Amino acid sequence: QVQLVESGGGLVQAGGSLRLSCAASGRTFGRYTMGWFRQAPGKEREFVAGINWSGGCTSYSDSVKGRFTISRDNAKNTVYLQMNSLKAEDTAVYYCAAHDRVAWGVNPTDYDYWGQGTQVTVSS
């Protein structure tokens, strides 16, 4: 089992940048596929980015491709989401998630462990 704690959210102007962090507990962090999801008010939770156990394979939603970068440091039990060129439509609560199955997964139901979320607000 793994516990996840996100940080780094905040208020930023459109065009700005933020870096989210997700710290994981446990000594088996390196075996988990990690994902970032987001949920805006009145909308369903959506996949943003994912990274496999080694960091050698990543995936992004079309809406963030080219602007966001997911990475991980297994020595620090941490996954990051670098967000550049932020837009007002990126405003949401961002969640870190994890699972330890082989299949990749872009649906919330594919992930077993979740953080509490961190608010990102982009002002236009």
Side-chain angles (χ1 to χ4, degrees):
Q1 193 166 359
V2 61
Q3 285 79 45
L4 305 172
V5 179
E6 302 97 334
S7 61
L11 174 64
V12 64
Q13 289 188 336
S17 298
L18 280 176
R19 188 176 83 154
L20 305 183
S21 298
C22 173
S25 66
R27 293 176 288 180
T28 59
F29 173 75
R31 81 181 199 194
Y32 288 94
T33 292
M34 302 298 296
W36 285 97
F37 287 76
R38 67 186 181 186
Q39 188 166 18
K43 295 188 176 181
E44 294 185 350
R45 192 168 298 189
E46 65 172 358
F47 175 80
V48 174
I51 189 166
N52 75 331
W53 67 274
S54 69
C57 184
T58 58
S59 178
Y60 299 92
S61 67
D62 288 342
S63 62
V64 308
K65 198 172 296 182
R67 299 188 298 122
F68 290 11
T69 302
I70 188 171
S71 62
R72 68 190 296 162
D73 185 338
N74 287 345
K76 295 183 178 180
N77 281 15
T78 303
V79 62
Y80 305 97
L81 185 68
Q82 177 67 44
M83 305 186 296
N84 299 328
S85 302
L86 282 161
K87 306 175 181 179
E89 51 264 43
D90 294 318
T91 295
V93 177
Y94 283 70
Y95 296 91
C96 175
H99 73 77
D100 63 357
R101 289 178 294 280
V102 174
W104 182 249
V106 297
N107 296 308
T109 53
D110 294 325
Y111 290 77
D112 300 310
Y113 307 104
W114 292 85
Q116 83 289 349
T118 185
Q119 176 70 48
V120 171
T121 303
V122 183
S123 63
S124 57

